[in-house]
Amino acid sequence: MVAREKLNQLKEKFGGAVQRADMPCNERLFVFVEASALKAVCQYLFRDLDARYVISIGMDDRPFSGKFMVAHDFAFDQDHLLCSVLTHLPADNPKVDSISDVVPAANWAEREIRDLVGIEPVGHRYLKRLVLPDGWPDGVHPLRKDFAWNQVPEGYDDTREFKFDEPPEGCTVVPFGPFHPTLDEPAHFRLYIEGEMVRGCEYRGFMVHRGIEKLAESVLTYNEIPMMAERICGICGCVHNVAYAQAVESAAAIKPPPRAEYIRTIMLEIERLHSHLLWVGLACHIVGFDTLFMQSWRIREPLMWIAEKISGNRKTYALCVIGGVRWDITAEVKGELRKVLDKLESEWTPVVAAVSKDKNIQKRTRGIGVADRALVKNAGLVGPVARSAGVNMDCRRDHPYAAYDRLDFDVITENGCDVWSRVLVRAKEVFESIKIIRQCLEKMEDGPLQLTIKDELPVGRIGLSSVEAPRGESHHFVITGENNRPRRWRVRAPTYQNLQAIPAMIKDQQLADMTISLGSIDPCFSCTDRMETIDLKSGATKVWTQEELLKLTRTKKT
Amino acid sequence: MSVLSKLKETLVCLKAGRVTLPYPAQAQPVPEKFRGRPLFDAAKCTGCGGCANNCPAREILLFDLCQEIRILQYLGRRCAYCGRCADVCPEKAITMSHEFETGTNSIGDIQQRVELFMSTCQRCGRCFKEPSALEQLKLKGYRVDDVAHERWVFRSKSYLDTEPVVDDIKIEMD
Ligand code: SF4
Ligand code: SF4
């Protein structure tokens, strides 16, 4: 009864400030506290009980309780417990004590709450706009319930400019992004450079914020959201699909049939395999080693084909609905999947053997992008970044979901804290994933794929789900609601925490190492949105316009 | 220099040989379960509205011209190829085809419009048999999506009137 134990500790320390608590099961704890005690409770959890900070969520609960709400989620990894500390705030002029000076990892989350819900974190030291675009008027908060999903705010000003900070003395500013070959999405870093050394940076991102949460809360329905959730990320889409389904299932106390749990596990591991191979390839590409980039992508390709065979698509598997999965793994596919895994294993082993001794790669990655244990704790880093700093944490083992509690696998850790260690962690995790899928194929029992849900889901229940994505923990927070859709759904992708540590990771290292440091947390690249061709004979260049390019891709003719 | 690892890496490349496929010069077959562009079979469709109500991308619009005629329009613009429409269709009127090269300069090439003669009652919406409680029709009755502007209208009505629908944000179930 870990949950009860923690609750008793809280009650003992804070007495009446703990208003109410829910323990729907042994792995979840929801504590409602007085707003005035929120910060102290979080500090106690984070510093004294050594909880890991996950995310903060702001909610407009006015239509239901007449109040605003803030929740801070924490995880006790060794105790297999996810815990949410919630508080109610008055309907007008909502303010909450900022926890970011005791829990630095809450920096972004609190700024996001201020932007989107309009709850002021009092005492936050850097209250700059984070999520909303530059031209968005002040004082308009899109995640409030009285703001319609398709509303265009009055006073939107395209010409308004974002005010960047002044660089420190003696530094020049070098812009990195919004479009840069090593970024998978537009994001802008203003690097402060002194000579060749990076001394700091300012980040301006969220340029592809699509408002999926708002859509889910106001337009979509429970079983439509999974298909949109997987579009949050092009690489670990299935993770969001499963995490959302699990969050709703945990809120509504639904348990999917065992076969569905095994299939979820298999698809998640196929996704991890393809993502890790993709990442190793891209990391090699960033440091200029294209041979291995090609090879690891070649080795990865059969995984994409088997995923397509199972789900009907290479990516975006559209796997889950609430209470189960949509695609079966037939006996025929089982045999094929086994063959794909054997081939993968036999091809990946020599690659790892070669790479792990390759001095050239090590020269570019050792001692670069350092994130040590202290940074992992304070910035709430997750996944391979945490494991490369020797932090033994993996949601598959710590907060078991799907069929992971019935499987046997190792959590890979390294102690280098640098990019090289992250290469090793990911390269070795490939073998663990192969092991996991093989066990699933062995143990998978026959049975239904979906549970039939006869009644509408209960209203106002909270569900949490943490899924270990290839890049780290993906955390979903759901409050069920009326009209067949959630009231609030908050997604925290692993990069949300990992990206916050980039300024610390690149500080005082060479500018040339920026790309691989950044690449080491997040594995995608972007395509540029126009291209240039050169006629080799005449040397004449032609720049393609967006329209010409579109036409070219659609007709395959110039 | 780590000559040995370079040699090992060379070996990996040599063993692989040439693997690039001649796509798009030569078409590649897709697996049986591939989810391509959904195709609507007007002969099977009863106009129950199940697909339109459960399409995450709001790609399927319904418009009731009069008591007897319902238009179903597939927009083909932002379809996610999720296949949910085919899943929920009680008449198996939708197939996820194997078409995936759907890039075009005129959207009409992929759009589909089905004009249905409605013999069943449109008001109750009961002819849609939902697979679970989560797919039930929330918009019952006459549907008035803005087909001309390809816009889903979050509203259904219990009577037909000719007034254009403004204020379509609230879901009305009257
Ligand atoms: S495939 Fe999915 S997105 Fe496309 S029309 Fe069907 S339900 Fe809508
Ligand atoms: S669900 Fe099937 S029968 Fe009903 S409207 Fe859609 S295509 Fe027609």
Short mmCIF file of all heavy atoms in Angstrom, two decimals, chain B residues 40 44-52 62 72 85 88-94 116 128, ligand 2:
data_model
loop_
_atom_site.label_atom_id
_atom_site.label_comp_id
_atom_site.label_asym_id
_atom_site.label_seq_id
_atom_site.Cartn_x
_atom_site.Cartn_y
_atom_site.Cartn_z
N PHE B 40 -16.63 4.69 -51.34
CA PHE B 40 -18.01 4.54 -50.88
C PHE B 40 -18.84 3.83 -51.94
O PHE B 40 -18.78 4.19 -53.11
CB PHE B 40 -18.62 5.92 -50.58
CG PHE B 40 -18.01 6.59 -49.39
CD1 PHE B 40 -16.75 7.16 -49.47
CD2 PHE B 40 -18.69 6.64 -48.18
CE1 PHE B 40 -16.18 7.76 -48.37
CE2 PHE B 40 -18.12 7.24 -47.08
CZ PHE B 40 -16.87 7.81 -47.17
N LYS B 44 -24.80 0.19 -51.52
CA LYS B 44 -24.96 -0.42 -50.20
C LYS B 44 -25.33 0.59 -49.12
O LYS B 44 -25.94 0.25 -48.12
CB LYS B 44 -23.66 -1.11 -49.79
CG LYS B 44 -23.38 -2.40 -50.55
CD LYS B 44 -22.19 -3.08 -49.89
CE LYS B 44 -21.71 -4.26 -50.72
NZ LYS B 44 -20.32 -4.58 -50.38
N CYS B 45 -24.91 1.85 -49.29
CA CYS B 45 -25.07 2.85 -48.24
C CYS B 45 -26.54 3.14 -47.98
O CYS B 45 -27.31 3.33 -48.91
CB CYS B 45 -24.34 4.12 -48.65
SG CYS B 45 -24.58 5.47 -47.51
N THR B 46 -26.91 3.16 -46.69
CA THR B 46 -28.29 3.51 -46.34
C THR B 46 -28.40 4.93 -45.80
O THR B 46 -29.48 5.36 -45.43
CB THR B 46 -28.82 2.56 -45.24
OG1 THR B 46 -27.98 2.72 -44.09
CG2 THR B 46 -28.81 1.12 -45.70
N GLY B 47 -27.27 5.61 -45.72
CA GLY B 47 -27.32 6.98 -45.23
C GLY B 47 -27.54 7.10 -43.74
O GLY B 47 -28.09 8.08 -43.26
N CYS B 48 -27.10 6.13 -42.98
CA CYS B 48 -27.36 6.15 -41.55
C CYS B 48 -26.55 7.22 -40.83
O CYS B 48 -26.91 7.65 -39.74
CB CYS B 48 -27.06 4.79 -40.94
SG CYS B 48 -25.31 4.38 -40.94
N GLY B 49 -25.45 7.64 -41.42
CA GLY B 49 -24.67 8.71 -40.81
C GLY B 49 -23.63 8.25 -39.81
O GLY B 49 -22.96 9.05 -39.18
N GLY B 50 -23.47 6.96 -39.65
CA GLY B 50 -22.50 6.44 -38.68
C GLY B 50 -21.08 6.84 -39.03
O GLY B 50 -20.32 7.27 -38.16
N CYS B 51 -20.74 6.75 -40.30
CA CYS B 51 -19.37 7.08 -40.71
C CYS B 51 -19.09 8.56 -40.44
O CYS B 51 -18.06 8.93 -39.89
CB CYS B 51 -19.14 6.73 -42.17
SG CYS B 51 -20.34 7.48 -43.29
N ALA B 52 -20.06 9.41 -40.82
CA ALA B 52 -19.86 10.85 -40.67
C ALA B 52 -19.70 11.23 -39.20
O ALA B 52 -18.94 12.12 -38.86
CB ALA B 52 -21.02 11.61 -41.29
N LEU B 62 -22.84 15.46 -44.27
CA LEU B 62 -24.20 15.03 -44.59
C LEU B 62 -25.07 16.27 -44.76
O LEU B 62 -24.98 17.21 -43.98
CB LEU B 62 -24.77 14.18 -43.45
CG LEU B 62 -24.15 12.80 -43.21
CD1 LEU B 62 -24.80 12.17 -41.99
CD2 LEU B 62 -24.30 11.91 -44.42
N LEU B 72 -24.34 12.63 -49.17
CA LEU B 72 -23.16 12.28 -48.37
C LEU B 72 -21.95 12.67 -49.19
O LEU B 72 -21.83 12.26 -50.35
CB LEU B 72 -23.17 10.79 -48.07
CG LEU B 72 -22.04 10.23 -47.21
CD1 LEU B 72 -22.56 9.06 -46.40
CD2 LEU B 72 -20.86 9.77 -48.02
N CYS B 85 -14.26 4.86 -40.52
CA CYS B 85 -15.54 4.90 -41.23
C CYS B 85 -15.91 3.50 -41.71
O CYS B 85 -17.05 3.06 -41.57
CB CYS B 85 -15.48 5.89 -42.39
SG CYS B 85 -14.04 5.67 -43.45
N VAL B 88 -17.06 1.22 -38.70
CA VAL B 88 -18.36 1.40 -38.06
C VAL B 88 -19.53 1.23 -39.03
O VAL B 88 -20.66 1.09 -38.59
CB VAL B 88 -18.50 2.78 -37.35
CG1 VAL B 88 -17.43 2.93 -36.29
CG2 VAL B 88 -18.43 3.91 -38.35
N CYS B 89 -19.28 1.23 -40.32
CA CYS B 89 -20.38 1.16 -41.27
C CYS B 89 -21.13 -0.16 -41.14
O CYS B 89 -20.56 -1.22 -41.34
CB CYS B 89 -19.87 1.32 -42.70
SG CYS B 89 -21.17 1.08 -43.91
N PRO B 90 -22.42 -0.11 -40.79
CA PRO B 90 -23.15 -1.36 -40.58
C PRO B 90 -23.42 -2.10 -41.89
O PRO B 90 -23.72 -3.28 -41.87
CB PRO B 90 -24.45 -0.91 -39.92
CG PRO B 90 -24.56 0.54 -40.17
CD PRO B 90 -23.22 1.08 -40.49
N GLU B 91 -23.34 -1.39 -43.01
CA GLU B 91 -23.67 -2.01 -44.30
C GLU B 91 -22.43 -2.44 -45.07
O GLU B 91 -22.53 -2.87 -46.21
CB GLU B 91 -24.48 -1.02 -45.16
CG GLU B 91 -25.71 -0.45 -44.48
CD GLU B 91 -26.72 -1.54 -44.15
OE1 GLU B 91 -26.78 -2.53 -44.91
OE2 GLU B 91 -27.41 -1.42 -43.11
N LYS B 92 -21.27 -2.26 -44.50
CA LYS B 92 -20.00 -2.55 -45.19
C LYS B 92 -19.95 -1.84 -46.55
O LYS B 92 -19.57 -2.41 -47.57
CB LYS B 92 -19.80 -4.06 -45.39
CG LYS B 92 -19.74 -4.86 -44.09
CD LYS B 92 -18.32 -4.91 -43.54
CE LYS B 92 -18.28 -5.20 -42.04
NZ LYS B 92 -18.60 -4.06 -41.15
N ALA B 93 -20.38 -0.60 -46.54
CA ALA B 93 -20.44 0.16 -47.78
C ALA B 93 -19.12 0.89 -48.08
O ALA B 93 -18.96 1.47 -49.14
CB ALA B 93 -21.58 1.18 -47.72
N ILE B 94 -18.19 0.87 -47.12
CA ILE B 94 -16.93 1.58 -47.32
C ILE B 94 -15.79 0.56 -47.35
O ILE B 94 -15.70 -0.30 -46.49
CB ILE B 94 -16.68 2.59 -46.19
CG1 ILE B 94 -17.88 3.53 -46.06
CG2 ILE B 94 -15.41 3.38 -46.44
CD1 ILE B 94 -17.80 4.47 -44.90
N LEU B 116 -28.54 9.93 -51.79
CA LEU B 116 -29.25 8.76 -51.28
C LEU B 116 -30.73 9.02 -51.19
O LEU B 116 -31.16 10.09 -50.74
CB LEU B 116 -28.73 8.43 -49.88
CG LEU B 116 -27.26 8.04 -49.83
CD1 LEU B 116 -26.68 8.40 -48.49
CD2 LEU B 116 -27.10 6.58 -50.13
N PHE B 128 -28.50 3.37 -37.49
CA PHE B 128 -27.07 3.14 -37.29
C PHE B 128 -26.88 2.29 -36.05
O PHE B 128 -27.25 2.69 -34.95
CB PHE B 128 -26.32 4.47 -37.13
CG PHE B 128 -24.87 4.26 -36.74
CD1 PHE B 128 -24.01 3.57 -37.57
CD2 PHE B 128 -24.39 4.74 -35.53
CE1 PHE B 128 -22.69 3.37 -37.21
CE2 PHE B 128 -23.07 4.54 -35.16
CZ PHE B 128 -22.21 3.85 -36.01
S1 SF4 C 2 -21.99 4.26 -42.17
FE1 SF4 C 2 -22.15 3.13 -44.11
S2 SF4 C 2 -24.36 3.02 -44.46
FE2 SF4 C 2 -24.07 4.59 -42.88
S3 SF4 C 2 -23.92 6.51 -44.04
FE3 SF4 C 2 -21.83 5.78 -43.79
S4 SF4 C 2 -21.44 4.58 -45.64
FE4 SF4 C 2 -23.64 4.85 -45.53
#
